[in-house]
Amino acid sequence: MGSETRPMTIHRDLNPWRIRLAAPVAFSTAEQLKEALLDWLRSGQDLEVDFQEATAVDVAAMQLIWAAAREGRDKGASIRVRASEDAEKAIRDSGFAGALGFPEVGGLMEAGGAVE
């Protein structure tokens, strides 16, 4: 038996919180992602969303992250997204590149502007 990649891992004990999304991130993980983002909004901490192991990202997941980034900004918290090449392509192709919380091209983008 090979090791199976968990589609989502949530680290609530870190600051910033960290949500790691691996494998294809699809509509099927949207409800779990939504609940994690709602928990994060209640925490008042910053959040890092890690798509570095994602091979595909569904638009539903991106919409949830964008909406959470808006809500978080209003509460003084930020989201940073790290993305694999595949995830960056999905972000770019769907029109989310440079949107609140999403990277422009590669690297890291914070909800208020570029980081490093």
Side-chain angles (χ1 to χ4, degrees), residues 19 34 36 48 65 80:
I19 298 176
K34 176 184 172 185
E48 180 178 286
I65 291 167
R80 296 181 299 169

Side-chain angles (χ1 to χ4, degrees), residues 23-111:
V25 179
F27 185 76
S28 60
T29 59
E31 186 62 34
Q32 184 183 7
L33 178 58
K34 176 184 172 185
E35 292 304 316
L37 291 169
L38 288 171
D39 287 348
W40 164 71
L41 284 168
R42 288 187 285 270
S43 79
Q45 296 185 29
D46 291 337
L47 173 67
E48 180 178 286
V49 179
D50 183 351
F51 283 126
Q52 291 180 323
E53 294 180 30
T55 55
V57 182
D58 187 271
V59 172
M62 289 184 265
Q63 290 172 327
L64 287 169
I65 291 167
W66 177 76
R70 284 185 29 215
E71 291 290 319
R73 178 190 59 196
D74 294 345
K75 295 179 180 202
S78 67
I79 291 181
R80 296 181 299 169
V81 173
R82 293 185 183 270
S84 67
E85 286 184 33
D86 290 334
E88 283 181 7
K89 182 178 181 336
I91 290 166
R92 193 172 38 254
D93 291 351
S94 65
F96 279 92
L100 188 63
F102 287 92
E104 284 282 346
V105 178
L108 186 65
M109 177 66 81
E110 192 165 352

Side-chain angles (χ1 to χ4, degrees), residues 2-21:
S3 66
E4 189 174 313
T5 302
R6 295 170 65 189
M8 185 178 329
T9 306
I10 304 162
H11 299 279
R12 292 177 173 89
D13 57 337
L14 300 174
N15 190 9
W17 274 34
R18 195 166 298 141
I19 298 176
R20 185 181 61 83
L21 297 144

